[in-house]
Amino acid sequence: MLTFRSLELKDKDIINSYLRQQNYRASDLCFANLYCWGRKFDTQFATTPDWLFIRFKDNNGRNSYLKPVGTGDLKVAIALIQEDHLSFNSPFQMRGLTKEMIAGIEAVMPGRFDYKLNRSVSDYIYTTEKLIGLKGKKLQSKRNHINRFKRENNWKYHTLTGNPSMVKECKNMLEQWMEVHKEEKDPSLVYDDYATTLMLDNFEYLNLIGGLICVDNEIAAFTIAEQLTLDTIVVHVEKAFTDIHGAYTIINQQFVENEASQFLYVNREEDMGMENLRRAKLSYHPDILLEKYNARFK
């Protein structure tokens, strides 16, 4: 029987010891996301010598699991979370499954599950080369936004990595950003503020990397990210003041150029089903749309 408990900061190393064994490039599979969004999703974990198990609530409060992460008999690992789920009054479900994960499940439990695409949590993945160079007709508008930003502003890029005073200043910018957006109806903003604050408060401990753009010595935009796999970085947070034309576009480009050029891919996470966010992420023409599925027994 598995014993689950809530994630704490001190669990980083043990959870990362399992996460480093996978190469799915899925944004769910990094400690900062699991920990910092744990309050919203009531995220908990359990381990065996071979496996890491993640349990959480979906947006409707139903008990859910990620695919077990580790090595060994996957069929046995799934049986363990099936047993754990018996105490919950809802259908057993695994969420956030990529096609690669599904192939692994089907290899040991063929035909047992129905899989349903969850488009709103599918990840947008781009090559670093694309986000740095913004080449070609499809990205002409991005280059135009950056060129206008550079013409109109006295600006400078700063790294957040190894720069705690700048990280602290980002908390002040976050407060201003939240004040600007306080009238918006999106309930996830409260959790987003909480998760972003956790990342800033624990920036070094979480091994995060980041960068910011200053305009006239005031922060106009910042980004927080972390290494996801050997070849992929995942962007957790990107904040900018929209009254400064091109602020979002330039922090995107400058962050990758200055902090992530050694990686092959940038995972910019999901769109959460928000149309404006979907349009923005599609406008960069992702190289990979990492589709994620929900699984339930047939």
Side-chain angles (χ1 to χ4, degrees), residues 28-46:
D28 317 274
L29 298 178
C30 57
F31 181 76
N33 263 351
L34 293 170
Y35 172 70
C36 294
W37 287 90
R39 180 178 179 181
K40 177 176 181 179
F41 297 109
D42 188 23
T43 307
Q44 301 182 326
F45 80 103

Side-chain angles (χ1 to χ4, degrees), residues 30 45 47-48 75 79 85 92 99 135 142-143 148 152 169 178 198 220 225 277 294 297:
C30 57
F45 80 103
T47 61
T48 66
K75 187 175 181 179
H85 184 72
F92 175 81
K99 290 180 178 178
K135 296 177 181 178
K142 306 300 182 186
R143 299 196 300 275
R148 177 177 166 183
E152 294 180 349
E169 287 300 311
M178 287 297 296
L198 277 179
L277 198 53
N294 304 336
F297 282 112

Side-chain angles (χ1 to χ4, degrees), residues 238-251:
E238 189 177 80
K239 302 292 184 194
F241 291 125
T242 53
D243 60 339
I244 302 174
H245 183 92
Y248 269 110
T249 315
I250 196 165
I251 186 59

Side-chain angles (χ1 to χ4, degrees), residues 182-196:
K182 66 182 180 181
E183 301 300 327
E184 294 184 13
K185 305 297 184 184
D186 180 9
S188 70
L189 275 180
V190 174
Y191 291 105
D192 180 78
D193 179 44
Y194 179 78
T196 303

Side-chain angles (χ1 to χ4, degrees), residues 249-260:
T249 315
I250 196 165
I251 186 59
N252 185 337
Q253 187 272 333
Q254 285 287 301
F255 168 76
V256 179
E257 180 177 302
N258 286 279
E259 313 293 339

Side-chain angles (χ1 to χ4, degrees), residues 188-237:
S188 70
L189 275 180
V190 174
Y191 291 105
D192 180 78
D193 179 44
Y194 179 78
T196 303
T197 300
L198 277 179
M199 291 181 197
L200 291 170
D201 284 343
N202 301 283
F203 193 86
E204 291 188 9
Y205 183 80
L206 292 172
N207 302 123
L208 299 174
I209 56 179
L212 62 82
I213 297 287
C214 279
V215 172
D216 295 329
N217 296 316
E218 297 288 336
I219 298 176
F222 73 87
T223 288
I224 301 173
E226 73 173 306
Q227 183 172 346
L228 181 61
T229 67
L230 289 175
D231 65 0
T232 303
I233 192 170
V234 56
V235 174
H236 296 310
V237 175

Side-chain angles (χ1 to χ4, degrees), residues 23-231:
N23 194 40
Y24 290 121
R25 300 196 186 101
S27 62
D28 317 274
L29 298 178
C30 57
F31 181 76
N33 263 351
L34 293 170
Y35 172 70
C36 294
W37 287 90
R39 180 178 179 181
K40 177 176 181 179
F41 297 109
D42 188 23
T43 307
Q44 301 182 326
F45 80 103
T47 61
T48 66
D50 292 331
W51 294 100
L52 167 69
F53 303 92
I54 300 295
R55 186 175 78 183
F56 62 99
K57 298 291 193 300
D58 67 13
N59 286 326
N60 295 308
R62 296 171 298 200
N63 188 54
S64 309
Y65 301 88
L66 296 181
K67 174 190 171 291
V69 176
T71 58
D73 191 330
L74 178 58
K75 187 175 181 179
V76 171
I78 293 174
L80 286 172
I81 55 177
Q82 283 179 254
E83 180 185 17
D84 177 75
H85 184 72
L86 292 175
S87 60
F88 293 92
N89 186 27
S90 61
F92 175 81
Q93 61 177 352
M94 288 184 285
R95 299 174 67 88
L97 301 176
T98 66
K99 290 180 178 178
E100 186 179 358
M101 295 177 192
I102 290 171
I105 294 169
E106 285 296 300
V108 297
M109 301 178 70
R112 295 288 306 281
F113 292 98
D114 281 323
Y115 302 98
K116 182 179 180 181
L117 175 65
N118 189 347
R119 178 65 175 80
S120 64
V121 301
S122 298
D123 286 339
Y124 294 79
I125 300 177
Y126 313 82
T127 63
T128 53
E129 181 183 15
K130 171 180 283 184
L131 295 184
I132 293 170
L134 299 173
K135 296 177 181 178
K137 285 186 176 181
K138 290 182 178 179
L139 296 174
Q140 177 69 52
S141 64
K142 306 300 182 186
R143 299 196 300 275
N144 292 344
H145 291 317
I146 287 175
N147 290 336
R148 177 177 166 183
F149 175 90
K150 290 180 175 180
R151 285 197 310 270
E152 294 180 349
N153 297 287
N154 174 28
W155 70 281
K156 189 174 179 63
Y157 177 87
H158 297 277
T159 184
L160 291 178
T161 312
N163 200 346
S165 63
M166 285 288 185
V167 173
K168 186 176 181 181
E169 287 300 311
C170 286
K171 288 186 69 175
N172 296 329
M173 186 275 198
L174 178 63
E175 290 180 7
Q176 297 171 38
W177 189 92
M178 287 297 296
E179 181 66 21
V180 169
H181 293 268
K182 66 182 180 181
E183 301 300 327
E184 294 184 13
K185 305 297 184 184
D186 180 9
S188 70
L189 275 180
V190 174
Y191 291 105
D192 180 78
D193 179 44
Y194 179 78
T196 303
T197 300
L198 277 179
M199 291 181 197
L200 291 170
D201 284 343
N202 301 283
F203 193 86
E204 291 188 9
Y205 183 80
L206 292 172
N207 302 123
L208 299 174
I209 56 179
L212 62 82
I213 297 287
C214 279
V215 172
D216 295 329
N217 296 316
E218 297 288 336
I219 298 176
F222 73 87
T223 288
I224 301 173
E226 73 173 306
Q227 183 172 346
L228 181 61
T229 67
L230 289 175
D231 65 0

